[in-house]
Amino acid sequence: MDGSRRETGGAFVRLPLVLAFLFFAGSLIGWGIELVWRRFFSSNNPERKWINPGFLIGPYLPLYGFSLTILCLMSFIPVERIFPTLDVHLQKAILFAVMSLVITAIEYIAGLIFIKGMKVKLWDYSSCWGNIQGIICPKYTFFWWILSAVYYFLIHPEVLDWLYWLSENLSFSFFVGMFYGVFIIDLCYSMQILVKIRKFASENEIVVRIENFKESIRKKNEELEEKKHFLLTFKSESLNFREQLSEHLRKTREEMKNSNFK
């Protein structure tokens, strides 16, 4: 009895470190998925260039980190007890549907916070059918359903033992801690940029689409034959940050004006 309690208590103590690693792994994997998607499949990148996704400098997307953590926790839901009379395949389908809806809800809340609070739109699904405020849409909810199934069947059974083993090693704890140190520094730096964008957007009563803004900086740097920055996507050698925003706003209004004449 005492041994069982100690084992349960040890697993409980290790759980925060395991979840911390899942957030770390999900953020990295999500960044890789978005990088490949934008390079080869996105219609918003017709030139097929490598684009650093997200608003952070480093190779991580926190939304995917939260999502992987949630998938891990929700995988323990005993659907066979909640729906004992249903077929096992239907039980799993319902679980994956709930997973995808929860992640979609988090995606909506996160998108809304950035739009209302920071005056920026980190992603835009306005062109997708059934979208809500361009933040979420059925297409990407379905993708989350598929990713939930992939995680549950292919990753969850294998990854837990590995994660618990790693969490018991001091070197692994140091590695995770080092990631969060770099992540927090990056987050503070990027939030300073978002504060500047928010001030400019509030003054001009607009919402800045962050991917369009980064694209305008990249094109302006190409026009000026400046060095391209894959990670420091907001950097320009010739224009200061406010000038970059003003140039982006001017071009955006020109494009809107031209589209209205067509």
Side-chain angles (χ1 to χ4, degrees):
M1 177 70 71
D2 292 339
S4 175
R5 287 179 178 176
R6 283 196 298 269
E7 184 177 351
T8 303
F12 179 78
V13 170
R14 291 194 300 266
L15 182 61
L17 185 57
V18 171
L19 296 179
F21 175 78
L22 282 172
F23 177 85
F24 156 68
S27 298
L28 289 177
I29 294 170
W31 183 87
I33 292 173
E34 289 286 339
L35 183 71
V36 173
W37 173 265
R38 295 170 191 235
R39 173 65 173 82
F40 297 103
F41 305 104
S42 176
S43 59
N44 296 325
N45 183 24
E47 298 175 345
R48 297 299 171 216
K49 293 183 178 292
W50 291 105
I51 299 173
N52 183 18
F55 73 97
L56 297 172
I57 296 173
Y60 27 74
L61 291 177
L63 181 61
Y64 281 86
F66 284 118
S67 299
L68 185 60
T69 304
I70 290 168
L71 289 180
C72 174
L73 294 175
M74 294 190 70
S75 294
F76 293 104
I77 296 176
V79 288
E80 64 282 354
R81 297 180 183 177
I82 299 174
F83 305 106
T85 60
L86 297 181
D87 178 75
V88 63
H89 297 94
L90 186 56
Q91 290 175 353
K92 301 305 181 188
I94 293 174
L95 175 62
F96 303 150
V98 173
M99 286 176 168
S100 63
L101 289 175
V102 169
I103 294 175
T104 298
I106 292 174
E107 187 177 19
Y108 179 75
I109 293 170
L112 205 59
I113 289 173
F114 275 97
I115 292 173
K116 300 296 184 181
M118 302 304 296
K119 303 297 182 183
V120 298
K121 204 167 191 178
L122 297 181
W123 60 87
D124 191 1
Y125 299 153
S126 298
S127 61
C128 297
W129 174 83
N131 76 87
I132 300 177
Q133 297 175 268
I135 303 174
I136 57 174
C137 68
K139 174 183 175 181
Y140 287 95
T141 298
F142 175 69
F143 286 162
W144 278 120
W145 189 91
I146 294 175
L147 287 175
S148 298
V150 170
Y151 172 82
Y152 187 89
F153 289 117
L154 300 182
I155 301 177
H156 192 70
E158 306 295 334
V159 80
L160 286 183
D161 290 339
W162 177 59
L163 288 175
Y164 279 116
W165 180 86
L166 288 173
S167 67
E168 292 174 348
N169 290 269
L170 183 61
S171 58
F172 171 71
S173 303
F174 173 78
F175 179 71
V176 174
M178 184 173 63
F179 160 78
Y180 278 96
V182 174
F183 175 77
I184 291 172
I185 293 173
D186 189 344
L187 183 62
C188 292
Y189 173 82
S190 300
M191 286 304 295
Q192 290 178 354
I193 293 176
L194 288 182
V195 168
K196 294 178 181 178
I197 295 176
R198 180 182 182 276
K199 182 180 179 182
F200 179 87
S202 298
E203 291 173 355
N204 291 275
E205 298 181 348
I206 60 170
V207 172
V208 177
R209 288 174 170 80
I210 209 74
E211 293 301 327
N212 293 351
F213 179 42
K214 290 195 298 184
E215 178 67 11
S216 69
I217 294 175
R218 183 186 66 79
K219 289 183 177 179
K220 189 64 178 180
N221 288 344
E222 288 181 350
E223 291 176 9
L224 299 174
E225 297 182 350
E226 292 184 0
K227 179 181 178 182
K228 300 180 181 65
H229 300 279
F230 176 73
L231 294 177
L232 299 172
T233 51
F234 298 108
K235 185 176 180 180
S236 174
E237 307 294 339
S238 302
L239 302 176
N240 62 40
F241 194 70
R242 190 172 184 84
E243 289 174 336
Q244 293 173 5
L245 284 165
S246 298
E247 178 70 11
H248 172 63
L249 177 59
R250 182 186 65 80
K251 288 187 175 180
T252 301
R253 286 176 172 171
E254 284 182 358
E255 291 174 358
M256 292 177 62
K257 184 178 179 179
N258 292 334
S259 64
N260 290 334
F261 281 121
K262 292 181 179 180

